[in-house]
Amino acid sequence: MMLDTVRDITTPELIEIRLHPAGFLPRGFAFFIDTILRWLLMLLIAIPSIFIGDLGIGLFLISIFLIEWFYPVFFEVVFQGKTPGKHLVGLKVLNDNGTPISLSASIIRNFLRFADFFPLFYLFGLISMLTNKEFRRLGDIAAGTIVVYTEPAARRFSVPEAIPVPPDFPLSRDTQKTIVSFAERSVGLTKPRQEELAALLPQLSQTMHPQEPQGAARLISIANFLIGRKS
Amino acid sequence: MQLDRLAIVLRTRPANEAIDLGTRMAMHWFKPLYIAWLCFSLPVIGVLFGLAYWADLSYTGTYLLIWWIKPMLDRMALFVISRAVFGSAPTLRQSMKAIPTLLFKTRLIRALTWARFSPYRSLTLPVDVLEGIKGPSARIRRKAISNYIGINAAVLTLFGFVVEKVFPFCALAFIAMISIDSNSYTDELLSDLWRNNFSYHSLTALGFYIFGILLWEPIYVAAGFSLYLKRRSDIEAWDIELEFRKIEKKSRITSSTLFSVLFLVLTMGISGYASHSYASQNNSVIRQEALANAPEKLQQILQQPEYGSKQIRKQLKLMKETQGKPDEKVQYSPNPISTNPNNTLLALTGAGQWMLWGILALVVMAIAYFIIIRLPDIRGQKGQKLAPPAQIAGLDIQPESLPDNIAEVALSMIHSGDLRSALSLLFRGSLSVLAHRDRVMFRSSDTEQDCIRLVKRAELNSVGFFINLTQLWLAQAYAHRSPDTTKLEQLCREWPTHYDHQSQWEAR
């Protein structure tokens, strides 16, 4: 079995979706940001309520309760599973079948924070996240939710420009994909390493015509052809 | 480095996902990793504790000493996890054998002195331990590795630092929660820790700190190693290399099959035109040699993984089976009654045994009674049941209803012109004889065609005659088409040769 951290889901329409569950480090960081924001919010409420007197203190205590318990629920349900901290780190909460999180699931996972916090400073939550295959804390397991990385926005091909050259023979879909990704990665690779990799595919990277580019340069040219650049 | 033996999926993953994968790695190879890790680090920590006690070190001193020695312990965890990721998790013995190499050839002094405070500790550890390079080139290498993802490694280290500090607090808080007088417990604890000397409470705190390190450090090392793998995979495009190798392999396979087909076609074509070839003396010598060498070669080939190389299977066996020789075994199971007659329990079992024998005897007797006495009766009933029916297809076939000399009666009927009753009589006679003499199992519901089928199945000599007769009868009975009288007369004469006179077979 090959180890990886993804969760593959097949929808009823037979569409494959791949979720990338997030581990303790980004989640801890997001929680840290959220905590600071919560405290700032409480401070903002505290300052005017001092001047109101006893009623102000009462209102302040109620607002502490609401912020402490409903801050994550509110943001997760209204902003597609993203609290401000999660948004900054690049995370979101989903139901574990990939659908947007529902109100009840969000309430369960956030009210069970108490179990994760036990005995102090989220020790049980950390243990649960370390041992669970999808890095879920106890609240996630109970609510059937999962915290995933938000996918980066669809990017355009970053294949370096070269004169497009058609390959000598038709290529399968996977091969085309691999060659394009090689061309995209070639920017970060050293020249000798590029040639080393190109030498693994002699049929593609070598050609009889001496005036055409050879080796890695030829693979990049083929990639240019494959993504449809015109000479 | 054999990339195809990697036990993790190679893809371009963000640094955070690489750290997540590291924790998955640590959990996946939990057993070999933690066993080797504990076997190495527990004695080391024990020695350190002894030293601290001997040197009369304070609580904080011991604490720092254990914190300081961590890079040395990390090397063992890295050894196990790196081997596991590249396809073969080492056994405990292999890990223990690697200790000298890990201690003396992995730049441990540097790691324990000025590099101890490096936040990239987990990331540069594989460079020191696995790559085995020294001097300026090692410095460049470390820099290249910690480019871009150094910040993630630093955050990981910071997180680990927090976890290690917080874990004892959590554990002690847990104890305080479940202890009866939690307030006084926490008060004592805090005052003891504050006074910074060895006591029951400070020892507990230190113990939890060590426990936390023991649990956390392998995960930290695995996460750092995973980050290192991610970085190297990015620099060297490991995933692309693996894909390229796959493509090349596939194309080689298809081209080789194409080539072999071509070869086959060509050789077949040539052999068609080839002139005669003679087996020379030389050839037979080569053949003999090849035959002599065959078993070894076959063994070699069968050893290859494609043919499922030798496998050792272990299974549990009862001790009794492996113990001693067969004659000892006879001694081992003596008759309980003879050896220990006083034991009532054994006597009881003996009585039970006799009872079982008695039941068996009864069963045998019952079976014998059934076979000897009852079976003939049952068979007799069965025989009654199997008696031929009184009539078939509306025709009475009881012997009593038929005249004695059927053929003659039929002939006289023909002469008197009653062809229909003559044929009917012959057919009825045939059925009667077949049913009573040849024991053909007709049923009263059978049609004429059924009768033909049954007679065919009985494989009698008279099949042809019977079919002929039946068809004539069918034509007569249902279509009112009478056969020629001459033909009918011949039928009557032939009839007794197949179906003897009734009196003859009844007497038998």
Side-chain angles (χ1 to χ4, degrees):
Chain A
M1 192 199 70
M2 299 283 274
L3 220 56
D4 204 352
T5 57
V6 294
R7 176 186 173 90
D8 288 316
I9 291 172
T10 310
T11 66
E13 296 84 11
L14 295 179
I15 298 164
E16 302 270 349
I17 296 174
R18 171 164 278 196
L19 300 181
H20 297 254
F24 61 89
L25 209 55
R27 291 180 65 173
F29 198 55
F31 177 74
F32 181 66
I33 294 172
D34 275 335
T35 308
I36 289 174
L37 284 178
R38 267 205 317 271
W39 287 353
L40 281 178
L41 204 63
M42 287 179 206
L43 201 68
L44 278 181
I45 296 172
I47 292 167
S49 60
I50 290 171
F51 301 108
I52 307 177
D54 279 352
L55 176 68
I57 291 172
L59 285 177
F60 175 65
L61 288 176
I62 290 172
S63 69
I64 279 185
F65 167 76
L66 288 178
I67 288 171
E68 202 52 51
W69 288 98
F70 286 95
Y71 167 94
V73 176
F74 172 76
F75 282 108
E76 279 172 9
V77 174
V78 177
F79 294 96
Q80 283 104 41
K82 294 176 190 171
T83 60
K86 287 197 180 71
H87 182 72
L88 286 176
V89 180
L91 304 176
K92 64 178 171 185
V93 196
L94 296 175
N95 287 331
D96 57 4
N97 56 7
T99 52
I101 186 168
S102 56
L103 177 68
S104 61
S106 179
I107 285 177
I108 292 172
R109 82 179 287 277
N110 285 307
F111 281 21
L112 273 172
R113 261 176 205 290
F114 182 74
D116 286 299
F117 187 78
F118 196 78
L120 260 186
F121 303 120
Y122 288 91
L123 180 65
F124 281 16
L126 179 65
I127 292 171
S128 172
M129 272 194 270
L130 287 177
T131 50
N132 190 283
K133 276 186 184 172
E134 283 152 356
F135 315 118
R136 300 192 200 188
R137 59 179 180 79
L138 298 173
D140 284 325
I141 296 171
T145 54
I146 190 169
V147 177
V148 297
Y149 295 101
T150 46
E151 280 168 47
R155 63 202 165 79
R156 303 171 69 189
F157 289 113
S158 54
V159 174
E161 298 239 4
I163 302 159
V165 170
D168 293 340
F169 48 89
L171 304 176
S172 72
R173 202 187 169 85
D174 286 339
T175 314
Q176 293 183 14
K177 240 164 115 182
T178 313
I179 286 173
V180 170
S181 61
F182 166 76
E184 285 176 340
R185 294 276 294 279
S186 65
V187 185
L189 302 177
T190 57
K191 261 277 173 275
R193 179 64 183 162
Q194 282 182 29
E195 294 305 329
E196 204 176 281
L197 287 173
L200 289 173
L201 284 180
Q203 291 176 333
L204 269 171
S205 59
Q206 305 296 323
T207 175
M208 297 294 179
H209 311 295
Q211 71 274 15
E212 283 185 12
Q214 303 280 336
R218 181 172 163 78
L219 286 185
I220 293 172
S221 294
I222 291 175
N224 270 283
F225 172 82
L226 290 175
I227 64 169
R229 282 215 180 107
K230 302 249 161 50
S231 52
Chain B
M1 192 168 292
Q2 287 174 298
L3 291 182
D4 48 350
R5 290 182 60 196
L6 262 180
I8 56 172
V9 176
L10 278 181
R11 58 183 173 87
T12 48
R13 47 166 69 84
N16 277 336
E17 273 194 63
I19 291 174
D20 298 345
L21 181 68
T23 62
R24 282 281 285 120
M25 272 153 51
M27 288 303 134
H28 189 256
W29 288 290
F30 176 81
K31 240 161 96 180
L33 177 61
Y34 274 88
I35 288 174
W37 159 259
L38 288 179
C39 284
F40 179 59
S41 47
L42 276 179
V44 171
I45 288 174
V47 168
L48 280 184
F49 231 82
L51 274 179
Y53 190 73
W54 175 69
D56 210 13
L57 225 57
S58 69
Y59 165 72
T60 320
T62 321
Y63 188 87
L64 279 175
L65 193 65
I66 286 163
W67 171 82
W68 176 71
I69 205 70
K70 277 200 299 180
M72 185 176 129
L73 308 179
D74 287 350
R75 279 161 164 67
M76 174 53 78
L78 182 69
F79 173 79
V80 178
I81 204 75
S82 62
R83 294 293 164 94
V85 166
F86 279 96
S88 55
T91 59
L92 183 59
R93 183 186 297 249
Q94 286 169 337
S95 314
M96 292 300 117
K97 267 188 188 162
I99 288 175
T101 329
L102 292 177
L103 289 188
F104 299 116
K105 291 189 179 157
T106 56
R107 307 174 55 73
L108 184 62
I109 298 179
R110 177 188 167 277
L112 287 180
T113 48
W114 66 90
R116 181 66 191 84
F117 299 95
S118 159
Y120 311 137
R121 198 161 59 84
S122 63
L123 194 56
T124 52
L125 183 68
V127 179
D128 290 341
V129 177
L130 300 177
E131 294 189 13
I133 38 176
K134 281 177 190 166
S137 56
R139 200 174 310 134
I140 295 168
R141 187 87 185 127
R142 278 195 291 270
K143 209 167 177 188
I145 291 291
S146 51
N147 258 347
Y148 294 103
I149 55 167
I151 177 71
N152 295 87
V155 170
L156 178 67
T157 308
L158 182 71
F159 187 87
F161 182 79
V162 172
V163 165
E164 280 170 5
K165 295 293 164 294
V166 164
F167 181 78
F169 272 109
C170 293
L172 288 172
F174 188 58
I175 286 184
M177 270 178 209
I178 58 173
S179 64
I180 297 164
D181 188 6
S182 51
N183 281 335
S184 67
Y185 178 84
T186 35
D187 288 347
E188 277 176 46
L189 187 72
L190 287 177
S191 71
D192 266 9
L193 291 182
W194 190 249
R195 263 183 273 135
N196 188 22
N197 54 6
F198 275 115
S199 72
Y200 164 68
H201 289 302
S202 60
L203 270 181
T204 330
L206 193 62
F208 276 123
Y209 175 68
I210 292 168
F211 186 57
I213 286 179
L214 289 178
L215 287 182
W216 169 254
E217 203 66 13
I219 297 173
Y220 172 70
V221 171
F225 180 58
S226 176
L227 262 181
Y228 164 84
L229 284 180
K230 171 228 156 31
R231 178 66 182 149
R232 277 201 64 180
S233 173
D234 282 357
I235 298 175
E236 298 167 26
W238 282 0
D239 46 338
I240 303 269
E241 179 179 340
L242 213 58
E243 288 294 320
F244 275 15
R245 281 188 196 283
K246 249 185 234 166
I247 293 169
E248 181 60 16
K249 208 173 171 186
K250 214 187 273 172
S251 72
R252 214 182 298 142
I253 287 166
T254 46
S255 64
S256 73
T257 47
L258 265 179
F259 182 74
S260 61
V261 167
L262 199 69
F263 181 74
L264 201 69
V265 168
L266 279 177
T267 46
M268 296 266 278
I270 289 167
S271 67
Y273 294 107
S275 56
H276 298 287
S277 63
Y278 299 99
S280 63
Q281 200 66 27
N282 212 3
N283 234 343
S284 71
V285 172
I286 291 168
R287 189 179 142 77
Q288 288 300 326
E289 272 179 23
L291 276 176
N293 288 334
E296 284 174 38
K297 258 193 182 160
L298 211 60
Q299 280 298 323
Q300 283 173 8
I301 290 169
L302 285 176
Q303 282 300 310
Q304 286 166 7
E306 290 90 336
Y307 292 95
S309 49
K310 212 183 233 176
Q311 287 183 338
I312 298 171
R313 280 195 190 157
K314 288 182 179 175
Q315 60 182 33
L316 288 174
K317 249 185 170 180
L318 282 176
M319 287 283 281
K320 229 194 267 177
E321 279 183 44
T322 52
Q323 245 177 18
K325 292 153 203 163
D327 43 12
E328 282 179 1
K329 226 170 158 184
V330 173
Q331 271 190 339
Y332 191 78
S333 57
N335 188 351
I337 300 173
S338 66
T339 51
N340 208 347
N342 295 331
N343 196 325
T344 45
L345 196 71
L346 287 182
L348 257 175
T349 56
Q353 212 173 7
W354 281 114
M355 249 168 69
L356 281 178
W357 278 114
I359 290 170
L360 187 67
L362 278 176
V363 168
V364 169
M365 273 156 65
I367 290 172
Y369 164 79
F370 184 77
I371 290 172
I372 296 163
I373 315 288
R374 292 286 300 157
L375 210 58
D377 291 357
I378 292 169
R379 198 178 278 165
Q381 286 170 9
K382 223 180 190 175
Q384 280 171 10
K385 217 191 238 171
L386 290 176
Q391 55 173 22
I392 299 172
L395 300 172
D396 195 348
I397 62 160
Q398 282 169 317
E400 300 81 26
S401 70
L402 291 166
D404 282 350
N405 39 3
I406 290 170
E408 284 166 28
V409 174
L411 256 181
S412 65
M413 279 177 175
I414 289 166
H415 292 311
S416 67
D418 192 359
L419 298 181
R420 187 185 169 86
S421 14
L423 250 180
S424 161
L425 183 65
L426 282 180
F427 186 64
R428 272 169 62 205
S430 309
L431 284 180
S432 175
V433 173
L434 282 169
H436 290 96
R437 184 192 66 177
D438 299 330
R439 297 262 169 217
V440 179
M441 297 292 190
F442 295 122
R443 284 168 304 175
S444 60
S445 60
D446 284 344
T447 63
E448 286 85 354
Q449 293 298 338
D450 290 333
C451 294
I452 290 178
R453 204 177 324 117
L454 283 169
V455 172
K456 268 186 185 166
R457 205 181 295 161
E459 289 179 353
L460 299 167
N461 290 330
S462 56
V463 177
F465 179 80
F466 181 75
I467 292 170
N468 196 13
L469 175 65
T470 313
Q471 271 156 3
L472 288 176
W473 163 242
L474 283 173
Q476 175 70 61
Y478 298 106
H480 296 281
R481 262 188 276 126
S482 308
D484 298 340
T485 29
T486 48
K487 208 176 178 182
L488 211 53
E489 280 170 11
Q490 198 200 337
L491 214 62
C492 289
R493 275 192 294 278
E494 216 176 308
W495 194 86
T497 57
H498 297 293
Y499 306 109
D500 296 340
H501 194 269
Q502 192 179 356
S503 55
Q504 287 176 345
W505 53 261
E506 256 182 353
R508 234 188 280 165

